[in-house]
PDB file of all heavy atoms in Angstrom:
ATOM      1  N   ILE C 454      75.833 105.044  79.956  1.00 84.00           N
ATOM      2  CA  ILE C 454      76.400 106.191  79.244  1.00 84.00           C
ATOM      3  C   ILE C 454      75.365 107.315  79.257  1.00 84.00           C
ATOM      4  O   ILE C 454      74.172 107.084  79.029  1.00 84.00           O
ATOM      5  CB  ILE C 454      76.740 105.818  77.788  1.00 84.00           C
ATOM      6  CG1 ILE C 454      77.765 104.683  77.746  1.00 84.00           C
ATOM      7  CG2 ILE C 454      77.238 107.044  77.020  1.00 84.00           C
ATOM      8  CD1 ILE C 454      79.135 105.069  78.220  1.00 84.00           C
ATOM      9  N   ALA C 455      75.805 108.517  79.554  1.00 71.00           N
ATOM     10  CA  ALA C 455      74.886 109.655  79.573  1.00 71.00           C
ATOM     11  C   ALA C 455      74.197 109.800  78.224  1.00 71.00           C
ATOM     12  O   ALA C 455      74.838 109.678  77.170  1.00 71.00           O
ATOM     13  CB  ALA C 455      75.638 110.931  79.930  1.00 71.00           C
ATOM     14  N   SER C 458      75.615 111.952  75.560  1.00 52.00           N
ATOM     15  CA  SER C 458      76.818 111.458  74.896  1.00 52.00           C
ATOM     16  C   SER C 458      76.476 110.478  73.798  1.00 52.00           C
ATOM     17  O   SER C 458      77.317 110.156  72.969  1.00 52.00           O
ATOM     18  CB  SER C 458      77.735 110.777  75.927  1.00 52.00           C
ATOM     19  OG  SER C 458      78.099 111.679  76.940  1.00 52.00           O
ATOM     20  N   ALA C 459      75.253 109.959  73.820  1.00 47.00           N
ATOM     21  CA  ALA C 459      74.864 108.909  72.885  1.00 47.00           C
ATOM     22  C   ALA C 459      73.985 109.442  71.764  1.00 47.00           C
ATOM     23  O   ALA C 459      73.184 108.718  71.194  1.00 47.00           O
ATOM     24  CB  ALA C 459      74.153 107.798  73.643  1.00 47.00           C
ATOM     25  N   ALA C 460      74.125 110.724  71.450  1.00 51.00           N
ATOM     26  CA  ALA C 460      73.234 111.342  70.474  1.00 51.00           C
ATOM     27  C   ALA C 460      73.350 110.699  69.102  1.00 51.00           C
ATOM     28  O   ALA C 460      72.353 110.475  68.424  1.00 51.00           O
ATOM     29  CB  ALA C 460      73.535 112.836  70.380  1.00 51.00           C
ATOM     30  N   ASP C 461      74.576 110.366  68.680  1.00 62.00           N
ATOM     31  CA  ASP C 461      74.783 109.846  67.335  1.00 62.00           C
ATOM     32  C   ASP C 461      75.062 108.346  67.312  1.00 62.00           C
ATOM     33  O   ASP C 461      74.666 107.651  66.378  1.00 62.00           O
ATOM     34  CB  ASP C 461      75.941 110.585  66.660  1.00 62.00           C
ATOM     35  CG  ASP C 461      75.668 112.072  66.526  1.00 62.00           C
ATOM     36  OD1 ASP C 461      74.524 112.426  66.189  1.00 62.00           O
ATOM     37  OD2 ASP C 461      76.590 112.861  66.770  1.00 62.00           O
ATOM     38  N   ASP C 462      75.773 107.838  68.306  1.00 72.00           N
ATOM     39  CA  ASP C 462      76.137 106.430  68.353  1.00 72.00           C
ATOM     40  C   ASP C 462      75.393 105.729  69.480  1.00 72.00           C
ATOM     41  O   ASP C 462      74.985 106.355  70.456  1.00 72.00           O
ATOM     42  CB  ASP C 462      77.646 106.263  68.569  1.00 72.00           C
ATOM     43  CG  ASP C 462      78.444 106.770  67.386  1.00 72.00           C
ATOM     44  OD1 ASP C 462      78.014 106.537  66.250  1.00 72.00           O
ATOM     45  OD2 ASP C 462      79.498 107.401  67.616  1.00 72.00           O
ATOM     46  N   ALA C 463      75.252 104.424  69.352  1.00 88.00           N
ATOM     47  CA  ALA C 463      74.650 103.637  70.420  1.00 88.00           C
ATOM     48  C   ALA C 463      75.552 103.699  71.642  1.00 88.00           C
ATOM     49  O   ALA C 463      76.779 103.791  71.519  1.00 88.00           O
ATOM     50  CB  ALA C 463      74.466 102.197  69.962  1.00 88.00           C
ATOM     51  N   PRO C 464      74.978 103.650  72.841  1.00 90.00           N
ATOM     52  CA  PRO C 464      75.806 103.695  74.058  1.00 90.00           C
ATOM     53  C   PRO C 464      76.899 102.641  74.081  1.00 90.00           C
ATOM     54  O   PRO C 464      78.020 102.918  74.512  1.00 90.00           O
ATOM     55  CB  PRO C 464      74.780 103.477  75.169  1.00 90.00           C
ATOM     56  CG  PRO C 464      73.503 104.007  74.606  1.00 90.00           C
ATOM     57  CD  PRO C 464      73.538 103.667  73.152  1.00 90.00           C
ATOM     58  N   ALA C 465      76.599 101.432  73.605  1.00 94.00           N
ATOM     59  CA  ALA C 465      77.619 100.375  73.592  1.00 94.00           C
ATOM     60  C   ALA C 465      78.789 100.767  72.698  1.00 94.00           C
ATOM     61  O   ALA C 465      79.958 100.508  73.038  1.00 94.00           O
ATOM     62  CB  ALA C 465      77.005  99.061  73.120  1.00 94.00           C
ATOM     63  N   GLN C 466      78.494 101.390  71.566  1.00 95.00           N
ATOM     64  CA  GLN C 466      79.573 101.801  70.658  1.00 95.00           C
ATOM     65  C   GLN C 466      80.411 102.909  71.293  1.00 95.00           C
ATOM     66  O   GLN C 466      81.644 102.911  71.169  1.00 95.00           O
ATOM     67  CB  GLN C 466      78.986 102.290  69.334  1.00 95.00           C
ATOM     68  CG  GLN C 466      80.020 102.686  68.289  1.00 95.00           C
ATOM     69  CD  GLN C 466      80.827 101.492  67.795  1.00 95.00           C
ATOM     70  OE1 GLN C 466      80.343 100.375  67.791  1.00 95.00           O
ATOM     71  NE2 GLN C 466      82.070 101.739  67.398  1.00 95.00           N
ATOM     72  N   ILE C 467      79.774 103.838  71.968  1.00 95.00           N
ATOM     73  CA  ILE C 467      80.511 104.911  72.644  1.00 95.00           C
ATOM     74  C   ILE C 467      81.417 104.337  73.719  1.00 95.00           C
ATOM     75  O   ILE C 467      82.582 104.716  73.852  1.00 95.00           O
ATOM     76  CB  ILE C 467      79.526 105.938  73.241  1.00 95.00           C
ATOM     77  CG1 ILE C 467      78.801 106.681  72.130  1.00 95.00           C
ATOM     78  CG2 ILE C 467      80.250 106.919  74.156  1.00 95.00           C
ATOM     79  CD1 ILE C 467      77.715 107.604  72.608  1.00 95.00           C
ATOM     80  N   ARG C 468      80.883 103.391  74.488  1.00 96.00           N
ATOM     81  CA  ARG C 468      81.690 102.768  75.549  1.00 96.00           C
ATOM     82  C   ARG C 468      82.882 102.024  74.935  1.00 96.00           C
ATOM     83  O   ARG C 468      84.011 102.127  75.415  1.00 96.00           O
ATOM     84  CB  ARG C 468      80.834 101.816  76.378  1.00 96.00           C
ATOM     85  CG  ARG C 468      81.522 101.365  77.664  1.00 96.00           C
ATOM     86  CD  ARG C 468      80.734 100.286  78.390  1.00 96.00           C
ATOM     87  NE  ARG C 468      79.369 100.660  78.699  1.00 96.00           N
ATOM     88  CZ  ARG C 468      78.999 101.280  79.806  1.00 96.00           C
ATOM     89  NH1 ARG C 468      79.904 101.605  80.714  1.00 96.00           N
ATOM     90  NH2 ARG C 468      77.716 101.572  80.013  1.00 96.00           N
ATOM     91  N   ALA C 469      82.611 101.265  73.873  1.00 97.00           N
ATOM     92  CA  ALA C 469      83.684 100.489  73.244  1.00 97.00           C
ATOM     93  C   ALA C 469      84.754 101.402  72.652  1.00 97.00           C
ATOM     94  O   ALA C 469      85.959 101.116  72.750  1.00 97.00           O
ATOM     95  CB  ALA C 469      83.095  99.587  72.165  1.00 97.00           C
ATOM     96  N   ASN C 470      84.331 102.500  72.032  1.00 97.00           N
ATOM     97  CA  ASN C 470      85.310 103.436  71.470  1.00 97.00           C
ATOM     98  C   ASN C 470      86.183 104.033  72.566  1.00 97.00           C
ATOM     99  O   ASN C 470      87.394 104.228  72.377  1.00 97.00           O
ATOM    100  CB  ASN C 470      84.591 104.552  70.711  1.00 97.00           C
ATOM    101  CG  ASN C 470      83.957 104.060  69.422  1.00 97.00           C
ATOM    102  OD1 ASN C 470      84.267 102.972  68.938  1.00 97.00           O
ATOM    103  ND2 ASN C 470      83.056 104.861  68.855  1.00 97.00           N
ATOM    104  N   ALA C 471      85.578 104.337  73.714  1.00 97.00           N
ATOM    105  CA  ALA C 471      86.351 104.872  74.837  1.00 97.00           C
ATOM    106  C   ALA C 471      87.339 103.843  75.351  1.00 97.00           C
ATOM    107  O   ALA C 471      88.464 104.184  75.751  1.00 97.00           O
ATOM    108  CB  ALA C 471      85.405 105.314  75.957  1.00 97.00           C
ATOM    109  N   MET C 472      86.947 102.586  75.342  1.00 98.00           N
ATOM    110  CA  MET C 472      87.865 101.524  75.767  1.00 98.00           C
ATOM    111  C   MET C 472      89.021 101.380  74.791  1.00 98.00           C
ATOM    112  O   MET C 472      90.182 101.206  75.192  1.00 98.00           O
ATOM    113  CB  MET C 472      87.096 100.204  75.901  1.00 98.00           C
ATOM    114  CG  MET C 472      86.064 100.208  77.022  1.00 98.00           C
ATOM    115  SD  MET C 472      84.933  98.802  76.964  1.00 98.00           S
ATOM    116  CE  MET C 472      86.039  97.441  77.398  1.00 98.00           C
TER     117      MET C 472
END
Side-chain angles (χ1 to χ4, degrees):
I454 300 291
S458 301
D461 299 319
D462 294 320
Q466 183 67 29
I467 293 174
R468 192 187 304 271
N470 289 345
M472 294 168 69

